[in-house]
């Protein structure tokens, strides 16, 4: 009888989706589902939604809501993490302060100056969850969904011996989009995708065993509709030769080429008809959160009032499949964020890479990939260098390293001088002062 | 419609077992089965047996016997190799000449002086098969069963870009034996086994997630019956702490401790009641082959006369499951012999290691293992050093390297002086002269 | 009796300086000095100057001028390379075309878009010199002075087994400048300097064994005169924590921070009073060469007319000390450009690094350094990634790799979009068409 | 004014030799020489001898004898270690117990079962010296002469950040012997020697730049006198192709080939006329020490009575040259025992290797070597595997690891079974019980 702890269970949409999926597996229909959040109201909503699913499905599962993280983790087989350390009023500054300096950010949850500050605030919390797990459920598997994925996973992998991986939908999502463009059912597609979170490369993409990357290049180069669906990523593909994960907006943040000048943003990141979900608008998610701040409660109540409309069929939350693989031994492959134990040979050792992983009863098994194409590795490596300094800064509380980490972030480096970066980072450190207990001083 | 080429199809028992198994998979019931051997009579037997299975099962498969290797390989999806380069009258000297010098060998097909000479004769043939495949079926997967496994696979992996792995039953066999000793069904067991062929270590062995190596140690130390079943391997287990693959007889050949003195052979390798299939008798397989030389034809004819009694249910030949995984995408994990791309961190890079591999539609995916316990790695490393020199010698035709390879083979080194080894190797090189075309000279 | 071949001997100032120095060593006073150039007039000037030194010093040395490279190299113990592949009318486009796109280059001989095109033209010549040496003087040591240093040395180290290193004055020059700032005689200073050519870092800088980097930081931060002497490098030092080699102008080209906007160039690269020799003016060396094109012959003739005024005392050309070390066995340490055989652990294997090297009778002996500070390694690694692609492009003739190499060059990446870079590189490839025989096509 | 601390100064012959040599350098003629020993009588002899040298030379040096190790180390620039942890009555059992089991040891101070027990007793003392140094003279350089060299240095390099190297005369000694055989003055010889202490290989040996290893092979193969001078090492050379350091007797202990059978010992290790200093007699040094136990005091007194006959000219103790290099900056190359930071690419990372090192004002600079010939690396690697386990056992106090370390020692492995080794190691652990405070239990 498995126990699954949801830390940050108040992420209602995610929690109810994953619970729905995991209950469909015979290994978990009788699971204990511990829901934990620090927000009583959100926790209550989550509890009601999850209990509704259990009742409706007639599952023998048990739902246990709690405000006590330790109680949730105790004896767990799996922990799922979807926390947010600091609300939108805290992290809006990650995007708004850089904007004052001319650094125009779209999402800001992954890397770059905004992602780095999010990491500085979140890493201490993540490490404390791991430390709890070492005592309360040392053999449990931690599945993390909180961003910035690569830096958080790396920090935990450095600071704890808990087995963990970070999960992100963008690998499957992009693979599916490419298949759609090719008019191919996914069942005919195989691929190798490797790199770092939100910047992984499809270094192999085959249809019925045949390399279709050349065909994809022709499509993207000649089909205007397809080209315009992902302006940034398609430009990257045509120029670098390999397709990258995550939306165009996200990718416009992780290099020097698309957001450093207003004319380039207008050209490559317009919210035009036919664009994908995130072409690259300034502060896209901050705006969304600020809007939702007022409406979410009402919407949630309405959802319950409508009878909590959720189907019980299995959806796409592959965390459920991972758990089932561990419990049943039925191998399940996915792309996860794990330490680079020689998996990708031209990225540094030990850093957090996103690579094929097989889950089975032994847990997580990373699959050897080899070398990335040099132009792809080069881009990953710049971001890794920045993130490694940020993680070290977050663990050690060194403000100079925060600055140096930001100084080589591609977007920041393409816009500002060292002096300007120092000033911007100084302002952000001071603004975040109360959220950075691990720093003795935030003076640069 | 898959094509599977059997090179060395005259290995009747193996061929009919594997064909029976692969036809049970929906992906291969209509396969083209190309049977190739250099011995017309053996090929004929194999053809009759395989056709019998096809007929009896009513499979839509097609059986094509041929003496022409190229015809068999052309367009194949899989090649299965079970050749023997040189009959028993050739390789008996691998065992009999060392015996004159006091080196007492049990099987001699894996490594050590006998295995090295077998490798010297076989590597040119294996490489030529790969070269054929590069032209005739460049994307095919080669599954090798011919010994000496590690040296042959390593030589092919160095000399060719064909995707290949070596398969050996000893990992599953030993895992099953240990489960039996523990009274556990295999469904409750998970393990990580890694090392080199015939000397892989169960560095993790769990029952329902719990480490049962300590329990196993107690069993072996206290249960006389179990202890006596595998004298050599149990001694190794009790002294080194981890269980090793392959039979006790085999293992007595791969280190310094069991066969260097007649009294030790009597003590640790007796053919007593309750011993496993190969406790370590001198020249065990040579004797078997010499005996079979006269009887095999008669036995085969009798088998056909009895109506070719073979059931059609799927057996244990996991090559069939690997092929099915590649064709269907249904992941299948096994232990295969692959290049060490950082998989085992304390064995040298690139050498042939036996590690967990997942087969899927992309082909073979090696799983990262990490470091072996130092005492286990030490034993592997001595043998690897010897084998690496032997492979280099086989590819370059350097007699001095043959000598140096044998000189550090544990069993040889424990018995002879450098001068004695040189004399023995010289005699063997001369005896094998006609089978070593890649050597310009065999003078030491 | 050593033979020293000067390839590109027409570099008059350098040739006469090095000849003067090497004749002062007892091991080379009777050397054969082979002077080779493709320009008869420049060769003649060099011959006259060198013969004057020999005569004036009464050295038993022999001077042999030749237009035949093979004759010069035959039997040489050392080859010194100071060639320039293509005159200023060729390479001015390396600087002038990028300027049309907004990429403002100061020198352009090291890396970045201008350095990459210089490498594309020069690498085939350098490799052909090595191939000559493999036949005519396989044990000779090649000392290269031609730029772009890192890419040329790397290409030769990949393509040839000739022992070679690249020499550059900037390590000693900067070390001396820092000592002067500290008011310390060089005899009290020890340092470890490592990285890549023109971007090496003083990761250790000590006075009488005591770390004086903190003292240096205070000086640079507080002494206006010192600060303004090297605006770019001092900014880098104050922000990154370690001092970098080469002039401020050069360094302004190798990162994103100083030349991407006109206001930053005005701020950090002004040719003000008190600035070092190269604060960073646009096209500084091109202008110098264009001016010298008309005057050099006249100046040279005037120098001879004045009686060839050169003193015979040993100067600072440390190539002479390296040759003496090899001939005498008296160890001499310098910073040279050699393959990264694990010397700097956080730069990639095999790339060309600039690290401490000891010359002695065995030749060149690179000294282990370890890891650079992460912020320093990050900057090196971006440039290395660009250069590695450029070298591969130069050896294989792949225009796409040229583009990808330029696309991640920091200065280019900070100014242009991928599309703009592609256009610029296309224009440059076409302009250089006749100088790139190794390219089958230059179409992007 | 340098301070040099002699820890174990009572090693009279060594101490007076090194003091004589170091006083000849201008950088140390005014040094403070701190002599420390735990034996008051030996310390007194050393003090008298050293003071005699100082007086006779009229040096301004100061001699300070002390029984207090901390006082000796405080403020030191160099520490020289020549301690012996446990007298001959303790370590005779390292040789005598194995003899009862048939393991016939010649010296037993380096590796193998005797060396391992010496390491187990000595490592805690060595580590405590380093810990003292970390507090009292953190920048001092430790020069170790105590054996077992490789294991002690490795343990200190693991446990402390003190800069240290181990020094051994065998590299120069063997190089000189080979030069003598060739009739060449050392001034014409250059070599690269690398491996592990007492088993380093001359992978390059040149006379005036020309490879003379082939000539050496002919000499050894044909000149009976030379052949018989070093029976074991010459056999190794003729069979493995490269010459090894240390005496024949020592080398007969470090592999499987020479001491496992009485007839082989008689054949390869006879104390015949014309043999080198240590052909390989059983218990050679133990016997010497036992004999000296009674005579050393008398001999020492006689030496003083004769007026302490010692010349003041500089001798061959190259520790003095190392110290001078560090103080003066005049580079000095020697072979030292340092961590394998990628220096020898086919030996494991971090282990203690004996390689070329340049001393200068920065301290010790290891020189990159590359790969050893595989047959040489193989032998080193077996011994390294054994030693690494012994060092780990010594630091962690794990008796099983002691056993496993001994079990793969070549000589032991060639003579005994696992069971016999276990019994022998058990007896030795019990005999050494009081000298192994780091072991909670010595039960196997």
């Amino acid at each position: 009888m498995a126990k699954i702890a949801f830390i940050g269970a108040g992420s209602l949409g995610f929690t109810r989706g994953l619970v729905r999926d995991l209950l469909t597996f015979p290994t978990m229909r009788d699971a204990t589902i511990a829901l934990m959040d620090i927000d009583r109201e959100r926790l209550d909503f989550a509890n009601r939604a999850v209990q509704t699913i259990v009742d409706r499905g007639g599952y023998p599962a048990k739902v246990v809501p709690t405000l006590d993280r330790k109680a949730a983790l105790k004896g767990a087989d799996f922990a799922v993490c979807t926390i947010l350390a600091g609300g939108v009023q805290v992290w809006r500054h990650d995007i708004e302060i850089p904007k004052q300096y001319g650094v125009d950010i779209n999402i800001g949850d992954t890397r770059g100056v905004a992602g780095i500050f999010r990491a500085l605030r979140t890493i201490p919390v993540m490490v404390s969850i791991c430390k709890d797990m070492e005592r309360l459920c040392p053999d449990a598997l931690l599945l993390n969904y909180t961003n910035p994925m690569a830096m958080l996973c790396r920090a935990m992998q450095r600071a704890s011996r808990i087995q963990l991986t970070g999960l992100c939908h963008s690998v499957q999502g992009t693979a599916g989009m490419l298949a759609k463009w090719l008019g191919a059912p996914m069942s005919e597609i195989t691929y190798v995708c490797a790199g770092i979170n939100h910047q992984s490369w499809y270094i192999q993409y085959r249809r019925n065993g045949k390399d279709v990357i050349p065909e994809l290049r022709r499509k993207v180069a000649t089909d205007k509709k397809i080209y315009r669906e992902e302006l940034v990523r398609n430009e990257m593909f045509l120029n670098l030769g390999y397709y990258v994960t995550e939306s165009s907006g996200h990718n416009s943040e992780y290099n020097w080429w698309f957001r450093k000048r207003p004319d380039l943003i207008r050209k490559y990141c317009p919210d035009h008809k036919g664009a994908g979900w995130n072409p690259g608008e300034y502060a896209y998610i901050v705006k969304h959160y600020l809007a939702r701040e007022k409406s979410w409660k009402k919407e949630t109540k309405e959802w319950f009032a409508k009878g909590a409309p959720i189907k019980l069929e299995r959806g796409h939350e592959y965390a459920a499949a991972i758990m089932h693989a561990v419990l049943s031994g039925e191998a399940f492959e996915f792309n996860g964020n794990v330490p680079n134990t020689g998996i990708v040979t031209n990225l540094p050792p030990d850093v957090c890479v996103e690579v094929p992983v097989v889950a089975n009863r032994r847990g997580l098994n990373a699959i050897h990939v080899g070398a990335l194409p040099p132009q792809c590795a080069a881009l990953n490596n710049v971001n890794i260098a920045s993130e490694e300094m940020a993680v070290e800064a977050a663990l050690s509380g060194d403000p100079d390293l925060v600055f140096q980490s930001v100084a080589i972030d591609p977007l920041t480096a393409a816009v500002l001088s060292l002096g300007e970066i120092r000033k911007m980072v100084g302002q952000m450190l001071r603004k975040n002062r109360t959220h950075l207990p691990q720093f003795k001083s935030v003076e640069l």
Side-chain angles (χ1 to χ4, degrees), chain A residues 138-153:
Chain A
D139 296 328
L141 174 61
L142 172 59
L143 301 175
N144 177 51
Y145 281 89
T146 297
N147 276 325
M149 183 60 79
M151 285 188 272
L152 300 190
C153 287

Side-chain angles (χ1 to χ4, degrees), chain A residues 28-244:
Chain A
M28 291 179 281
R29 50 184 291 118
D30 63 349
T32 298
I33 297 169
L35 303 174
M36 182 268 159
D37 206 295
I38 56 173
D39 181 320
R40 188 182 294 272
E41 191 169 25
R42 287 183 186 273
L43 178 63
D44 192 49
F45 284 138
N47 184 35
R48 282 170 58 193
V50 167
Q51 192 60 57
T52 300
I53 295 168
V54 169
D55 295 345
R56 205 172 290 169
Y59 295 115
K62 190 173 150 201
V63 187
V64 187
T66 176
L67 293 162
D68 178 357
R69 193 168 77 193
K70 288 182 177 55
L73 290 173
K74 181 155 192 172
D77 296 289
F78 303 97
V80 179
C81 181
T82 52
I83 67 163
L84 180 58
V88 64
Q89 295 304 336
V90 172
W91 62 269
R92 63 188 298 173
H93 304 297
D94 298 348
I95 284 94
E96 291 171 356
I97 294 177
K99 182 69 171 170
Q100 300 168 18
Y101 291 79
V103 180
D104 183 298
I105 293 168
N106 163 238
I107 306 277
D109 68 347
T110 310
R111 53 179 61 95
V113 59
I116 287 166
F117 273 85
R118 183 176 281 238
L120 297 178
R121 293 188 304 265
T122 313
I123 283 173
V125 186
M126 301 301 284
V127 169
S128 79
I129 292 173
C130 287
K131 293 298 164 189
D132 279 357
M133 291 180 68
E134 288 178 6
R135 276 173 298 116
L136 299 164
C137 52
D139 296 328
L141 174 61
L142 172 59
L143 301 175
N144 177 51
Y145 281 89
T146 297
N147 276 325
M149 183 60 79
M151 285 188 272
L152 300 190
C153 287
R154 172 64 162 137
M156 291 188 283
Q157 284 151 0
R158 273 185 58 176
S160 172
R161 54 177 184 71
I162 287 294
Q163 189 171 206
L164 68 96
T165 193
L167 303 178
C168 171
H169 300 102
S170 73
V171 176
Q172 298 105 306
T174 298
M177 180 185 77
L178 301 181
K180 195 191 66 186
W181 289 353
L182 291 167
M186 272 313 286
S187 60
E188 296 184 359
I189 299 294
T190 55
Y191 59 83
V192 177
C193 186
I196 55 175
N197 180 246
H198 287 193
Q199 192 178 65
S200 265
W201 309 91
Y202 295 85
I203 58 175
Q204 194 187 92
Y205 195 90
R206 294 186 176 165
R207 182 177 183 176
N208 295 322
K210 182 173 155 277
D211 178 10
V212 286
I213 294 178
E215 184 184 339
L216 207 47
R217 269 192 219 114
R218 279 191 302 274
K219 281 260 184 220
V220 169
T222 57
D223 184 327
K224 280 268 186 283
K225 192 171 159 297
I226 285 175
Y227 175 73
R228 289 170 62 75
E229 200 171 325
E230 291 285 338
L231 279 178
V232 168
R233 290 205 284 171
N234 284 339
E235 274 294 302
M236 290 176 71
F237 179 49
L238 293 176
N239 283 295
L240 302 180
Y242 295 89
Y243 220 90
V244 74

Side-chain angles (χ1 to χ4, degrees), chain A residues 150-377:
Chain A
M151 285 188 272
L152 300 190
C153 287
R154 172 64 162 137
M156 291 188 283
Q157 284 151 0
R158 273 185 58 176
S160 172
R161 54 177 184 71
I162 287 294
Q163 189 171 206
L164 68 96
T165 193
L167 303 178
C168 171
H169 300 102
S170 73
V171 176
Q172 298 105 306
T174 298
M177 180 185 77
L178 301 181
K180 195 191 66 186
W181 289 353
L182 291 167
M186 272 313 286
S187 60
E188 296 184 359
I189 299 294
T190 55
Y191 59 83
V192 177
C193 186
I196 55 175
N197 180 246
H198 287 193
Q199 192 178 65
S200 265
W201 309 91
Y202 295 85
I203 58 175
Q204 194 187 92
Y205 195 90
R206 294 186 176 165
R207 182 177 183 176
N208 295 322
K210 182 173 155 277
D211 178 10
V212 286
I213 294 178
E215 184 184 339
L216 207 47
R217 269 192 219 114
R218 279 191 302 274
K219 281 260 184 220
V220 169
T222 57
D223 184 327
K224 280 268 186 283
K225 192 171 159 297
I226 285 175
Y227 175 73
R228 289 170 62 75
E229 200 171 325
E230 291 285 338
L231 279 178
V232 168
R233 290 205 284 171
N234 284 339
E235 274 294 302
M236 290 176 71
F237 179 49
L238 293 176
N239 283 295
L240 302 180
Y242 295 89
Y243 220 90
V244 74
T245 55
E246 251 312 314
S247 66
S248 275
H250 260 301
N251 272 283
S252 70
E253 300 180 321
Y254 312 149
N255 60 60
W256 316 274
W257 301 308
F258 298 97
R259 299 189 75 84
K260 73 190 148 213
R261 299 186 335 234
D263 65 305
L264 293 176
I265 297 178
R266 281 191 303 273
K267 179 169 183 183
Y268 292 113
C269 305
D271 191 7
H272 62 84
K273 192 161 145 13
W277 72 272
N278 174 29
E281 185 190 354
Y282 166 67
Y284 179 62
I285 296 293
V286 166
K287 289 173 186 171
H288 178 75
Y289 265 69
L290 289 172
R292 289 260 304 162
E293 229 183 351
K294 284 157 197 152
S295 64
W296 77 270
K297 221 173 285 183
K298 191 162 152 278
E299 285 167 21
T300 305
K301 286 175 180 166
E302 284 170 6
W303 184 78
F304 280 112
K306 278 190 289 187
I310 185 168
K311 298 223 177 81
L312 295 185
E313 286 87 65
R314 191 182 298 171
H316 62 295
E317 280 305 344
Y318 66 111
I322 295 171
M323 296 180 202
H324 177 63
V326 172
L327 292 169
S328 72
E330 223 171 86
F332 176 76
E333 184 181 319
F334 62 100
N335 276 52
N337 287 274
V338 295
N340 190 19
T341 51
I343 305 295
V344 183
T345 52
N346 52 357
L347 301 184
D350 303 329
V351 305
C352 181
V353 287
E354 193 171 87
V355 293
V357 175
V358 171
N360 60 21
R361 268 198 292 170
R362 295 195 311 267
L364 305 178
N365 303 274
I367 285 177
H368 182 72
V369 168
L372 297 177
Q375 65 274 28
C376 302

